[in-house]
Every structure is written in structure tokens, then in C-alpha cells.
């Protein structure tokens, strides 16, 4: 049964004041304009190492969220965000990145041309990607942990290559079925390798189309996964279950999504038992049908007594999706996203019986939208403060994006924990994550092109991120020369 948060868990009146103060001071930045309320800094500038966990205090001048970011990363973020906020520079970068990401020539392949490799790594890769091998990924994860993130979500960036290779090994493959099976096995190995880098607080990100033609064909035909794929998914989930690492299945285009939902619900039925939420499905709020789809998920979980894991996104395929399936305006998408969050955090949902207990579930908000993050956090906090039933909330953004939002969440949790307890089961506060991808430089550039294109429509927001980074750099400069 979902626990009611008792008033005695923490000095909640103080936490509420702290949250409101943080809110006003910009720990959760509002959209451009309103957050320039700019927190007045109260302590030292950060150096190359991440700033120490700021001592929780009742100071009316809290540190700004970006104070947890090492200066090296702050400078790199500033440069990348400057590029992303300029339509002209984005327009120039996309064709170059596209060319690099699919080129077979030695000269344009960053994994073969060492000079290009060095440039691409410094300019794009290191900002958005975790590393090319386990040692580099572990180093990035350690930096995130020092900044205060509870864990990471890690995905393998490699795109599936379905064409026939000319290598001698591949010459013995006689049929498309052999190739499909080989691709599933490669996908499984890459995913297990990714899983091996993760710990119990982390998430594994799984993209099913990455398993290649066998997965794509079955999903398009709305069939069950073929045996080789089913065995691979089972092996991945069994291993995740053994090490206690949660996993989410990414949402993709609608042509695949019926099968993705069905397969993922089957996994939740199997693995999300006895109050444990191991597997999460991704729901896309830009689809008109998503509220009904969530009702269906909740009804099944309620009837069959398993726990539901939902990762809520707005949706990344607006340019390739059938437009009629998607809300008519971005405002409708925002309203849909925010009302789903409000309902789930209140443990009510249209179409779900109030006579039977609301199913046990956990919610992950994957969004860069500061308003949605802020309002989700506020609802959770208010309910917690009033001792009303709610659910566990976690929030995450992509590496290299929305850092002020992410760092604000880290800071908020630290301060709540300093007052209310250590964030154990008894005293639980929303957690902040960064979502990382890893892989060879060329493989990751393909991932980056998608992110840059996705971000193209949000230039106002990117400029807002840029303002926050500039403010933090200016604060550190003033502090270092004793002006602050
Ligand atoms: C950690 C993480 C994991 C993610 N995983 C997935 C995933 O598995 N599957 C997936 O599909 N996406 C995924 N995304 C991407 C996500 O769906 C969004 O594309 C992206 O995060 C931008 O949305 P936002 O919530 O940050 O907010 P905003 O930038 O405020 O919203 C932009 C979004 O609004 C919607 N939109 C834009 N214009 C219109 C319009 N005219 N009408 C209606 N709607 C519109 C689109 O969904 C667009 O992406 C993920 C994002 C993150 C941060």
C-alpha cells in the first residue's frame, strides 16, 4: 500500500519555506525573464573540482543551482549553449554533423581520422556524451555523482547497421534471418555491457528498434517478439533485476508503439512485483491518445496487482509522425503533460476506479521544460507537506542540456535532506538524474544530430539557459577577485 507521508517525517513547514525561497531565488528557473531574479551568491566560486555540497543553512541568500558545476564543464556548457542558441550556428552545424555522422571516408570519420577525432570530441562529443569506453563513462558518472545527481540513465548510442558487411565472417551468413539474429545478439551484448557499468540507483535506457530488423518487423506487424529477441530481452531484464538496476523502454514512432506498449506491459507484469518497480514504460504526452493509454496501464496494474513505472515525455517524433495523432498546438501538449503529472501525483486518474486502491506506481519526468518540472515538484511538495498520499517522483534531463534545471533539483533535494533526513525509504524526496549516452564518436554524433534538431524549435529556452550560465560565470569571476 502506498505510504502516507506523515507530518512528523520532517520539519515540513521549514521545508516548505525553503522550497518557496528556492523557487523565488531561481533554483528552479522559470522561463526567460522571470528567473533573472537571480540568486545572490553567498559563497566561494567553484574551481576545477565540483563545489562541495553547500552547507545547508537558513541563509536567505542560497547559492545558485549552477554552483555545483565544475568550472571546466561550465565553460564548455557556455560555448555549446551559445552555439545552440544561435539559429545561424545551428544551421551551419547540422549539415556538418550530419556529414560526419554517416561518412565512410577516412578523412571524415572521427573514429579513423585522429585530428578530426580530437576536434569533434572537444567541440561536441564531450559536452553531450559520456565516453567511448567503460573507463571514460565511469569518469563521467563519477563527475555527475560529485555534482549531486542520485544516479544516471545510460544508453548505448550505436545505431543498428542492417546492411551486409563484406567481411569474411559475414560471407557465411546465408539469409536475412541470419543477419537479423546477428544484429539482435550485437544489440544484446552492447546493452549488457551498458548495464554492467550501472549500479542500483541508475537506469538502463533501452531502445527496442536498436535490436534491428527482427524487432522492427515484429513491432510493425504488432506481433510478439521473435524467440531470439525475447530471449535477449529476458536476459537483459534478469540481469537488471539481479543487480537492482531499473530500466526504461524508450517510446518511439507510433508504427512501433503498439507493440512496445504490449511488450513492456508484459515485462512490468513479470518484473514489477511485490512493490518493486524495475521496468518503466515511456508515455508521450504530445499524443492525443496518451491519457486513455495511461488509464489502460493503470487499470491493468490495478486489476492484475503489479506496480507501474511511467516515464513521461512530450515526444520526439513530431516531424515524422502522423500529425493528426498529435495535439494541435504546443500549448495543448503542455496542458496534457502537466495534467497527467498532477493526476498521477494525486493518485487519481480519469477512468480509474476510486473504490479500489490506486495501483502502486512511480513516475519519472523526462523533460527540459522548467515549468513542468517546477509544477511537478511543487505538487509533490505540497502533498507531502499536507500528509496527503502521493507517489515517488524522479526527474531527469539529458547530459549537456537544461543544467540549471537539473542542478536546481540537486540543490533542492540536498537541502531538504539536510533538514528532513537522509532520503531513505522513510523520508523520501524527489531525485534528480542526468541521462547519458555512450559509444564511438561517429555513433554518438548521429544521436547528437537528433538532439540538436529537436532543440531547434526552443531557441528562447536555450537563450535562457545561456543567461543562467553567463550569470554563474560572472558570479565566479566576481568571487575570485573578492568583489562578492
Ligand atoms: C531524459 C529524456 C529522455 C527522453 N526519452 C524519450 C523517449 O523515450 N521517447 C521520445 O519520444 N522522446 C524522448 N525524449 C524527448 C522528449 O520527448 C522531448 O522531445 C524533449 O525532451 C523536449 O520536450 P520537453 O518536455 O523538454 O519540453 P518542451 O521543449 O517545452 O516541449 C517541446 C515538445 O513539445 C511538443 N511540441 C512542439 N511543438 C508542438 C506543436 N506545435 N503541437 C504539439 N506539440 C508540440 C513536442 O513533443 C516537442 O518535443 C526524452 C527527453 C529526455 C530529457
Amino acid at each position: 500500500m502506498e505510504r502516507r507521508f506523515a507530518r512528523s517525517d520532517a520539519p515540513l513547514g521549514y521545508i516548505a519555506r525553503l522550497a518557496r525561497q528556492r523557487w523565488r531565488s531561481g533554483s528552479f528557473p522559470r522561463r526567460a525573464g522571470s528567473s533573472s531574479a537571480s540568486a545572490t551568491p553567498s559563497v566561494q566560486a567553484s574551481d576545477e573540482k565540483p563545489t562541495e555540497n553547500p552547507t545547508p543553512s537558513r541563509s536567505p541568500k542560497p547559492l545558485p543551482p549552477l554552483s555545483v558545476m565544475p568550472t571546466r564543464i561550465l565553460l564548455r556548457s557556455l560555448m555549446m549553449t551559445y552555439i545552440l542558441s544561435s539559429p545561424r550556428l545551428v544551421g551551419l552545424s547540422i549539415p556538418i554533423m550530419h556529414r560526419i555522422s554517416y561518412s565512410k571516408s577516412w578523412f571524415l570519420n572521427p573514429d579513423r581520422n585522429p585530428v578530426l577525432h580530437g576536434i569533434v570530441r572537444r567541440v561536441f562529443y564531450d559536452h553531450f556524451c559520456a565516453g567511448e569506453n567503460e573507463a571514460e563513462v565511469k569518469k563521467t558518472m563519477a563527475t555527475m555523482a560529485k555534482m549531486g545527481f542520485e544516479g544516471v540513465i545510460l544508453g548505448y548510442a550505436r545505431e543498428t547497421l542492417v546492411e551486409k558487411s563484406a567481411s569474411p565472417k559475414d560471407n557465411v551468413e546465408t539469409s536475412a534471418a541470419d543477419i537479423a539474429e546477428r544484429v539482435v545478439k550485437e544489440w544484446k551484448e552492447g546493452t549488457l555491457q551498458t548495464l554492467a557499468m550501472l549500479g542500483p540507483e541508475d537506469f538502463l535506457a533501452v531502445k527496442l528498434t536498436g535490436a534491428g530488423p527482427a524487432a522492427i518487423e515484429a513491432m510493425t506487424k504488432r506481433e510478439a517478439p521473435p524467440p531470439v529477441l525475447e530471449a535477449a530481452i529476458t536476459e537483459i531484464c534478469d540481469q537488471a533485476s539481479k543487480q537492482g538496476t531499473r530500466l526504461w523502454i524508450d517510446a518511439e514512432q507510433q508504427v512501433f508503439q503498439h507493440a512496445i506498449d504490449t511488450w513492456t506491459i508484459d515485462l512490468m507484469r513479470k518484473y514489477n512485483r511485490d512493490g518493486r518497480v524495475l521496468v518503466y514504460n515511456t508515455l508521450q504526452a504530445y499524443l492525443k491518445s496518451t491519457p486513455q493509454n495511461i488509464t489502460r496501464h493503470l487499470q491493468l496494474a490495478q486489476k492484475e496487482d503489479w506496480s507501474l513505472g511511467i516515464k513521461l515525455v512530450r515526444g520526439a517524433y513530431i516531424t515524422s509522425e502522423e500529425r493528426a495523432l498529435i495535439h494541435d498546438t504546443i500549448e495543448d501538449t503542455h496542458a496534457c503533460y502537466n495534467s497527467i503529472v498532477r493526476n498521477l501525483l494525486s493518485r487519481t486518474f480519469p477512468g480509474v476506479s476510486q473504490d479500489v486502491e490506486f495501483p502502486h506506481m512511480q513516475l519519472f519526468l523526462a523533460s527540459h521544460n522548467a515549468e513542468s518540472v517546477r509544477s511537478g515538484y511543487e505538487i509533490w511538495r505540497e502533498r507531502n507537506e499536507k500528509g496527503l498520499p502521493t507517489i515517488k517522483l524522479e526527474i531527469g534531463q539529458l547530459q549537456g542540456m537544461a543544467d540549471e534545471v537539473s542542478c536546481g533539483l540537486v540543490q533542492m533535494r540536498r537541502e531538504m535532506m539536510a533538514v528532513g533526513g537522509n532520503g531513505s525509504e522513510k523520508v523520501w524526496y524527489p531525485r534528480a538524474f542526468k541521462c547519458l549516452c555512450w559509444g564511438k564518436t561517429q555513433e554518438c554524433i548521429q544521436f547528437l544530430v537528433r538532439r540538436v534538431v529537436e532543440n531547434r524549435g526552443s531557441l528562447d529556452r536555450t537563450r535562457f539557459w545561456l543567461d543562467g550560465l553567463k550569470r554563474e560565470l560572472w558570479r565566479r569571476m566576481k568571487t575570485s577577485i573578492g568583489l562578492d
Side-chain angles (χ1 to χ4, degrees):
M1 187 175 127
E2 193 68 29
R3 195 178 72 78
R4 283 176 70 94
F5 288 86
R7 275 186 165 276
S8 59
D9 279 354
L12 291 166
Y14 174 64
I15 289 179
R17 279 200 304 284
L18 183 64
R20 282 191 284 270
Q21 180 192 344
R22 279 274 164 226
W23 214 252
R24 282 195 293 268
S25 69
S27 281
F28 286 95
R30 289 168 191 274
R31 289 298 288 260
S34 56
S35 98
S36 53
S38 61
T40 316
S42 59
V43 290
Q44 84 290 350
S46 298
D47 58 280
E48 225 13 53
K49 290 181 198 142
T51 305
E52 286 302 302
N53 193 351
T55 311
S57 80
R58 292 171 187 240
S59 161
K61 292 181 174 180
L63 278 170
L66 289 172
S67 61
V68 298
M69 188 180 263
T71 302
R72 178 178 50 89
I73 299 182
L74 181 74
L75 291 172
R76 202 175 59 204
S77 285
L78 199 63
M79 184 190 75
M80 270 321 299
T81 313
Y82 180 76
I83 295 174
L84 285 176
S85 68
S86 157
R88 213 164 61 86
L89 290 176
V90 170
L92 275 173
S93 312
I94 291 174
I96 297 172
M97 286 167 75
H98 201 268
R99 190 78 198 273
I100 290 173
S101 63
Y102 293 101
S103 173
K104 293 214 161 70
S105 92
W106 175 90
F107 185 69
L108 283 177
N109 183 337
D111 293 318
R112 291 164 70 197
N113 176 342
V115 178
L116 186 64
H117 182 258
I119 296 170
V120 169
R121 282 228 38 166
R122 266 177 197 77
V123 177
F124 300 113
Y125 184 98
D126 289 347
H127 183 66
F128 291 108
C129 304
E132 294 188 63
N133 52 48
E134 186 171 347
E136 289 179 7
V137 174
K138 286 263 167 80
K139 206 170 150 203
T140 308
M141 286 170 64
T143 306
M144 297 293 166
K146 276 188 199 157
M147 284 169 71
F149 291 102
E150 286 303 315
V152 298
I153 304 115
L154 188 62
Y156 186 39
R158 187 175 167 200
E159 302 269 308
T160 308
L161 294 173
V162 294
E163 64 208 346
K164 261 194 174 182
S165 143
S167 76
K169 176 180 150 261
D170 289 336
N171 284 342
V172 299
E173 288 176 336
T174 51
S175 68
D178 287 340
I179 297 172
E181 196 168 323
R182 170 172 61 84
V183 176
V184 170
K185 285 184 178 150
E186 285 173 5
W187 172 79
K188 183 189 80 178
E189 293 312 321
T191 308
L192 287 173
Q193 208 185 338
T194 310
L195 187 54
M197 297 182 215
L198 297 171
E201 300 299 334
D202 302 316
F203 280 88
L204 172 74
V206 178
K207 189 167 182 176
L208 288 172
T209 50
I216 289 171
E217 193 186 336
M219 289 195 287
T220 313
K221 294 181 176 167
R222 302 187 172 194
E223 289 173 348
V228 62
L229 180 59
E230 191 169 10
I233 295 173
T234 303
E235 196 175 331
I236 292 163
C237 290
D238 284 348
Q239 179 55 35
S241 172
K242 207 160 113 194
Q243 65 185 62
T245 304
R246 292 173 289 172
L247 62 94
W248 74 34
I249 309 291
D250 279 346
E252 305 193 44
Q253 287 153 286
Q254 281 305 286
V255 62
F256 307 124
Q257 206 48 49
H258 183 276
I260 292 178
D261 283 352
T262 309
W263 299 2
T264 311
I265 287 172
D266 278 345
L267 294 175
M268 290 196 283
R269 252 188 210 115
K270 181 172 171 189
Y271 291 95
N272 293 5
R273 291 282 175 184
D274 305 320
R276 186 181 197 210
V277 188
L278 187 84
V279 178
Y280 284 60
N281 196 16
T282 305
L283 279 296
Q284 297 161 312
Y286 70 3
L287 294 173
K288 292 174 183 166
S289 59
T290 289
Q292 289 91 325
N293 197 11
I294 293 179
T295 302
R296 184 173 70 93
H297 279 68
L298 286 163
Q299 285 171 339
L300 282 172
Q302 195 174 45
K303 193 167 137 218
E304 299 170 3
D305 194 24
W306 44 267
S307 300
L308 176 61
I310 288 188
K311 163 194 167 199
L312 189 63
V313 299
R314 279 181 166 74
Y317 300 93
I318 193 165
T319 50
S320 53
E321 206 65 277
E322 191 186 325
R323 191 62 183 85
L325 299 174
I326 295 176
H327 288 295
D328 298 337
T329 64
I330 191 165
E331 285 73 26
D332 290 348
T333 297
H334 293 333
C336 181
Y337 191 97
N338 294 336
S339 77
I340 291 170
V341 175
R342 173 170 291 282
N343 281 325
L344 292 178
L345 288 176
S346 308
R347 287 170 54 87
T348 56
F349 210 84
V352 177
S353 170
Q354 303 269 1
D355 302 333
V356 189
E357 195 185 348
F358 196 76
H360 177 258
M361 69 162 297
Q362 294 185 16
L363 177 63
F364 193 107
L365 305 185
S367 174
H368 299 141
N369 185 306
E371 260 328 288
S372 290
V373 170
R374 182 197 64 77
S375 94
Y377 206 106
E378 269 289 280
I379 295 164
W380 182 91
R381 185 194 59 72
E382 260 176 50
R383 296 191 68 82
N384 187 25
E385 185 188 339
K386 291 178 181 157
L388 295 170
T390 187
I391 57 173
K392 285 187 178 172
L393 173 68
E394 289 164 311
I395 305 175
Q397 291 81 35
L398 296 172
Q399 179 185 358
M401 292 201 174
D403 288 328
E404 201 169 0
V405 174
S406 315
C407 294
L409 289 163
V410 165
Q411 202 178 32
M412 181 76 157
R413 180 176 155 85
R414 279 175 166 179
E415 298 198 12
M416 281 188 164
M417 278 169 52
V419 178
N422 64 2
S424 63
E425 275 300 306
K426 186 163 179 290
V427 188
W428 199 91
Y429 303 113
R431 295 173 170 187
F433 291 77
K434 273 293 193 190
C435 183
L436 323 178
C437 88
W438 76 283
K440 290 271 168 227
T441 309
Q442 192 178 40
E443 292 159 2
C444 285
I445 298 290
Q446 293 160 10
F447 167 89
L448 293 188
V449 175
R450 286 201 300 278
R451 299 286 84 82
V452 172
V453 170
E454 202 176 282
N455 199 59
R456 219 177 176 177
S458 314
L459 286 176
D460 274 359
R461 189 181 53 194
T462 316
R463 287 193 194 110
F464 171 61
W465 296 347
L466 185 65
D467 289 346
L469 292 162
K470 281 185 191 161
R471 262 201 315 277
E472 175 58 12
L473 185 65
W474 179 233
R475 181 189 76 81
R476 290 184 194 192
M477 283 162 65
K478 281 200 299 181
T479 308
S480 66
I481 55 170
L483 282 180
D484 201 12

